[in-house]
Amino acid sequence: MSAIASPARDTSALSTSAADVTQNSRDVLSDVLRTIRLSGALQFCFMPTGTWKTDDAPALAELISGDGASKAASSHTVPFHIVVEGSCWLKMDGLHVDLEEGDIVAFPFGSGHQLGAGEGGPTICPVRDLPPKPWRSLPILRYDDLRGDDGVARLRMLCGYLHCEAMNFRPLREALPPLLHLRCAESDRSSWLRAAIRQIALETDHPQSGGLSLLERLTEITFIEMLRQQIAATPHDAVGWLAALADPALGRCLALIHDDPRHEWSVQSLAAAAGLSRSTLAERFEAVLQTSPIRYLRDWRLYLASVALSTSGKPIAAIAYDSGYGTEAAFNRAFSRAYGLPPAAWRQMARSL
């Protein structure tokens, strides 16, 4: 891969203070979040009472395929549940989690899971009970007294999915767990999320003009906050992209790459900026990110290319140049290896969503 030359940057004045590391990590995260494109959010309100359970198949996939999404597009679709009122349990791959009011769960890889209240209740499948689309207002699915157990409280849950193109960025995708779980009631930094959940309840009980758009925006910022808190909770001895953000040297290198992806970065220039030798930097990249600095740069450039293909009419040859490739043919081969589709087919798929 041929890199694109740009004016040299003076890195001699860079320091490695804790404040700088924190700022670098925020800058890298912001770069990814700016390209996240949380589009195509779809949601409905699920309100059962009594004793019940859902099927454990990934039923939300039926909504995705019903929208005409391809396998490539559905790979970055993230189902979610927001508990607005009440409680229930969640089971997934042997994991049992009790969900309470204010809890938010998301499934970055669309993993199948089961929800329920009590034991032995009838199985329901809310997705199959939804009205035909398009929806002019938020669908509300009520299941009253499924077994007449007065002791089981009513549940009100916002369910749905959103398209998150940042899942196409391999380092982020590989760093996320199958289940993201945020307990807003227990977190001081989630007070504004608790207010958002109250607004969701208000919009459900008293629909107003523009309510669906507001719910979509609330869902998007909720997911971004889940990512931020996941990063904050990542142990310092962990591996992966989230851990790299907290590493002083790696955080500095990632910040430089994200700040100027078209620069002709080399292992030597990145190592100098991080205050490490070339071998030490390469070893730390491999240990924490399971990749090399130059491969990470390539992955970020290709991800930015995927966003440009999805969101702009820029010629593929120009996108190839911006991505550091000397020829369109070389870019086509690299992009196809990374994303399973050539650039033109990827663009066509993205525009069909």
Side-chain angles (χ1 to χ4, degrees):
M1 179 178 72
S2 60
I4 296 173
S6 64
R9 294 160 55 105
D10 180 10
T11 59
S12 60
L14 294 176
S15 64
T16 56
S17 68
D20 284 342
V21 170
T22 301
Q23 186 61 50
N24 289 339
S25 300
R26 288 174 180 168
D27 289 345
V28 174
L29 179 60
S30 294
D31 281 334
V32 175
L33 295 183
R34 273 195 293 269
T35 65
I36 231 170
R37 281 197 72 216
L38 296 174
S39 62
L42 181 68
Q43 46 204 312
F44 60 92
C45 189
F46 174 49
M47 297 178 62
T49 58
T51 303
W52 54 274
K53 62 179 180 293
T54 64
D55 195 328
D56 61 358
L60 282 170
E62 298 178 14
L63 290 178
I64 300 167
S65 60
D67 283 344
S70 67
K71 182 178 180 180
S74 61
S75 67
H76 54 254
T77 300
V78 180
F80 67 87
H81 304 302
I82 301 175
V83 183
V84 178
E85 178 184 358
S87 61
C88 68
W89 49 256
L90 180 150
K91 296 179 181 179
M92 183 182 118
D93 295 332
L95 179 69
H96 183 109
V97 180
D98 291 321
L99 302 180
E100 305 291 340
E101 183 173 317
D103 281 14
I104 305 170
V105 290
F107 309 86
F109 310 107
S111 305
H113 56 279
Q114 187 177 34
L115 301 171
E119 296 295 335
T123 300
I124 57 178
C125 186
V127 169
R128 294 173 187 168
D129 294 330
L130 287 168
K133 292 178 288 185
W135 303 332
R136 294 184 177 276
S137 59
L138 182 75
I140 300 177
L141 300 181
R142 303 178 188 273
Y143 300 86
D144 293 325
D145 300 322
L146 290 170
R147 282 192 49 176
D149 293 346
D150 294 336
V152 179
R154 176 185 300 273
L155 172 74
R156 177 160 47 172
M157 174 182 283
L158 188 70
C159 304
Y161 69 84
L162 46 82
H163 292 297
C164 175
E165 290 198 12
M167 291 298 292
N168 288 320
F169 183 44
R170 184 185 60 82
L172 172 61
R173 182 177 67 248
E174 293 180 353
L176 293 177
L179 172 67
L180 292 172
H181 181 196
L182 180 60
R183 293 191 183 276
C184 296
E186 299 177 358
S187 173
D188 292 337
R189 64 179 287 180
S190 297
S191 59
W192 67 272
L193 278 180
R194 292 194 291 271
I197 292 174
R198 288 194 295 271
Q199 185 64 38
I200 288 171
L202 181 62
E203 292 296 328
T204 302
D205 293 338
H206 306 286
Q208 300 182 52
S209 177
L212 283 179
S213 295
L214 178 60
L215 288 172
E216 289 179 359
R217 300 291 85 76
L218 290 173
T219 301
E220 292 175 5
I221 62 173
T222 296
F223 182 67
I224 291 175
E225 178 61 15
M226 293 187 79
L227 291 180
R228 293 175 63 199
Q229 296 206 24
Q230 182 69 24
I231 291 172
T234 300
H236 290 294
D237 58 352
V239 297
W241 188 73
L242 302 182
L245 294 182
D247 182 284
L250 295 184
R252 172 59 52 78
C253 290
L254 299 188
L256 291 171
I257 289 171
H258 284 252
D259 182 53
D260 192 0
R262 293 185 61 187
H263 184 74
E264 193 178 0
W265 293 112
S266 66
V267 177
Q268 179 62 46
S269 62
L270 290 170
L276 299 174
S277 68
R278 292 176 56 184
S279 60
T280 300
L281 179 66
E283 290 170 1
R284 193 170 296 184
F285 255 85
E286 186 61 39
V288 179
L289 285 163
Q290 285 83 55
T291 191
S292 69
I294 301 308
R295 183 178 178 185
Y296 183 92
L297 172 61
R298 183 198 66 187
D299 286 344
W300 179 240
R301 286 172 168 176
L302 288 175
Y303 171 67
L304 292 178
S306 76
V307 175
L309 289 165
S310 301
T311 61
S312 75
K314 199 171 187 177
I316 292 177
I319 295 175
Y321 179 81
D322 289 343
S323 301
Y325 289 87
T327 67
E328 186 174 342
F331 171 68
N332 287 346
R333 289 192 296 270
F335 191 91
S336 296
R337 284 195 300 269
Y339 289 92
L341 289 172
W346 179 271
R347 170 171 277 171
Q348 183 177 9
M349 177 273 295
R351 289 178 175 177
S352 68
L353 297 180

